[in-house]
Structures are given as C-alpha cells and as structure tokens.
C-alpha cells in the first residue's frame, strides 16, 4: 500500500475508552467524532487517552442532520476549546464542513491544525463542477494546504465510477479524499488510492457512516485482491 494512503479510524467515546496502543498499530490517524462523546469525557479524560495512543488526531464534529449515528449531546465551542488547545499542532487535523456556514471550531484558519474541508451527502452524488465550486469557496488557511473530502451516496455503479474518476481528476491540483457511502462504496474505501484519494476511513468499533468497514476487513481485502499475479505482493500504484 502506498505510504501516502492513510488509514483514518473513526471513534466515539465507547470505542476510545477501550482502545489500547496495540489496537491501533495499523492506523495512521484517529478521527475523534466529538459529537459521539460526552462533555465530561472530552474535558476530563480525552487528552490523557489520546496522548497514550500516540497517533495524529483528527477532530470532527457532526450535527445530527449530518450524521448517520446518534450523537451524545449538542456541543458548543466552549466545550471543545480546551482539547483543541491541547492538540494544536500541524501533525493533527480539523474537519470543517464545506456546505455549512458555521462551525464549532472558531478561528480555525489561525490554528496550527491541517484542515480537512468536508462535504457529505447521504442522498446523492456530486458533479465535478460542484466540487470545484466548493473548493474555490473554501476559506484559505495559512498552514499546510487543505485537504478536500467529498463523501457521497451513489445510486449505481456508474455513478460510483464517475465520482471516483472526478476525484482523480481534481487530485491533479488538490489533495483529495473521495468516499462513496453504502454498499456501492466498498471500492472507494479499500482501493481509493487508485483514484488518488489520500485517506480512507475505517472503524474500530461500530460503523460511524454507511458502508464503513473495520481495519481488519480492509487489510484482508487489500491482501486478497490487490496483488501482482504470482508475486504475493501488492501491485504498484497506477
């Protein structure tokens, strides 16, 4: 697997409480879904646990209407301000939604985090020109170049192919993540790097999005289906 294709493991409070370092040996980034945590855990326990795991962290907050899983409680900037200060480093990431005017993360463009601008649709796909418009409207950030994530729900395999080819095209001038949710999206989660998608999102517990698979399943599919004929090794990237 190319070094540039990073495995992001999405976790909620129940997952993080029980994680040990050995459980994340194949993970590159921990996505902390803040909407799946209690205020008490965020403010009193989260820092120690994340530091112990020793991986880069991606902080994400999804509102109820933008998520397929039920949140703990509605949070505000004041609830997460402390944990954001604790991890304000350019090795870590913040997820900022492209299709929302507001965000729980205030003044994020001045922080040291690398920004992942994200768009999610649980009902339909998105065209290349629409993605380009979102990219052009994104607020510039002073640190490393932002990453653009588009997660969509295709109607059929043709729509899946069109979307992934658009991700590959847009990757010529941007760092991209392309995810197709649901059963049709498996190829985008396991072989997204073939379409120049830079991250893939897995789960270490219950799925946090439709079609999300475990790290173990990802590894098995890569090993079984992504080999050069007769070599026993993964084929080189196209």
């Amino acid at each position: 697997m190319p070094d540039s294709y990073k495995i992001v493991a999405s976790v909620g409070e129940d997952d993080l409480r029980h994680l040990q370092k050995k459980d994340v040996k194949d993970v590159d980034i921990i996505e902390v879904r803040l909407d799946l945590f209690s205020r008490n855990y965020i403010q009193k326990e989260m820092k120690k646990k994340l530091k112990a795991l020793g991986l880069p962290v991606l902080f994400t907050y999804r509102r109820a209407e933008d998520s397929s899983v039920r949140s703990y409680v509605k949070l505000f900037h004041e609830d997460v301000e402390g944990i954001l200060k604790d991890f304000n480093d350019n090795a870590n990431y913040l997820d900022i939604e492209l299709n929302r005017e507001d965000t729980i993360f205030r003044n994020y463009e001045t922080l040291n985090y690398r920004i992942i601008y994200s768009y999610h649709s649980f009902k339909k796909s998105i065209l290349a020109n629409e993605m380009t418009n979102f990219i052009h409207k994104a607020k510039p950030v002073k640190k490393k170049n932002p990453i653009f994530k588009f997660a969509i729900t295709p109607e059929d395999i043709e729509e899946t192919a069109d979307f992934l080819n658009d991700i590959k095209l847009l990757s010529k001038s941007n760092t991209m993540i392309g995810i197709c949710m649901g059963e049709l999206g498996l190829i985008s989660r396991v072989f997204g790097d073939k379409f120049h998608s830079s991250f893939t999102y897995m789960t270490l517990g219950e799925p946090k999005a439709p079609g999300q698979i475990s790290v173990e399943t990802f590894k098995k599919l890569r090993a079984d289906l992504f080999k050069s004929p007769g070599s026993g090794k993964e084929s080189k990237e196209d």
Side-chain angles (χ1 to χ4, degrees):
M1 183 171 61
D3 292 339
S4 58
Y5 195 39
K6 296 186 181 302
I7 297 177
V8 181
S10 302
V11 298
E13 183 170 327
D14 294 338
D15 306 314
L16 190 57
R17 280 185 182 277
H18 300 102
L19 277 186
Q20 299 179 33
K21 203 158 187 176
K22 63 180 177 62
D23 300 321
V24 295
K25 59 182 175 61
D26 297 310
V27 172
D28 298 300
I29 301 165
I30 295 285
E31 182 187 34
V32 175
R33 280 284 304 269
L34 290 166
D35 51 299
L36 305 181
F37 288 83
S38 63
R39 288 188 180 92
N40 185 67
Y41 189 91
I42 291 170
Q43 295 171 358
K44 296 183 179 180
E45 300 182 56
M46 183 176 282
K47 177 182 177 181
K48 181 179 179 181
K49 189 56 179 277
L50 290 175
K51 293 288 187 183
L53 292 175
L55 287 174
V57 178
L58 161 59
F59 288 112
T60 299
Y61 179 73
R62 297 271 179 261
R63 293 164 178 80
E65 59 269 31
D66 297 324
S67 175
S68 61
V69 289
R70 186 176 179 181
S71 61
Y72 262 72
V73 65
K74 183 177 181 180
L75 297 175
F76 300 92
H77 174 74
E78 292 74 18
D79 299 318
V80 301
E81 188 174 16
I83 197 71
L84 293 186
K85 287 181 179 178
D86 290 333
F87 289 85
N88 185 24
D89 184 275
N90 60 16
N92 299 319
Y93 303 79
L94 283 185
D95 181 292
I96 307 296
E97 293 167 309
L98 278 168
N99 49 330
R100 279 194 169 275
E101 294 296 327
D102 57 337
T103 174
I104 193 174
F105 308 127
R106 292 183 187 166
N107 301 316
Y108 63 86
E109 68 275 11
T110 67
L111 301 177
N112 293 325
Y113 291 92
R114 189 166 185 193
I115 301 301
I116 297 178
Y117 283 116
S118 68
Y119 168 97
H120 294 77
S121 174
F122 294 96
K123 296 181 179 179
K124 61 185 180 68
S125 187
I126 187 172
L127 300 175
N129 65 323
E130 294 175 296
M131 287 190 276
T132 300
N133 287 338
F134 275 117
I135 290 170
H136 288 165
K137 291 177 182 177
K139 184 181 292 188
V141 288
K142 296 179 180 179
K143 306 298 177 183
K144 293 181 180 179
N145 291 332
I147 300 164
F148 293 96
K149 175 191 177 187
F150 291 89
I152 57 91
T153 305
E155 286 190 359
D156 50 41
I157 195 66
E158 288 81 9
E159 206 165 65
T160 301
D162 288 343
F163 170 76
L164 291 174
N165 283 321
D166 287 341
I167 291 293
K168 188 172 185 178
L169 178 65
L170 290 170
S171 73
K172 293 179 179 179
S173 53
N174 305 280
T175 304
M176 302 294 295
I177 301 170
I179 300 288
C180 296
M181 294 184 281
E183 292 180 0
L184 289 170
L186 185 62
I187 189 173
S188 72
R189 294 186 182 278
V190 181
F191 305 112
D193 52 328
K194 286 295 183 180
F195 300 91
H196 298 184
S197 180
S198 54
F199 291 11
T200 186
Y201 287 65
M202 304 287 116
T203 179
L204 292 170
E206 291 298 314
K208 306 300 183 291
Q212 200 174 70
I213 61 175
S214 69
V215 176
E216 290 76 15
T217 299
F218 170 82
K219 287 173 58 185
K220 186 177 188 309
L221 289 172
R222 293 282 293 204
D224 288 349
L225 303 176
F226 199 28
K227 295 176 179 177
S228 299
S231 71
K233 296 181 180 179
E234 289 186 0
S235 62
K236 294 182 179 179
E237 189 175 6
D238 291 340

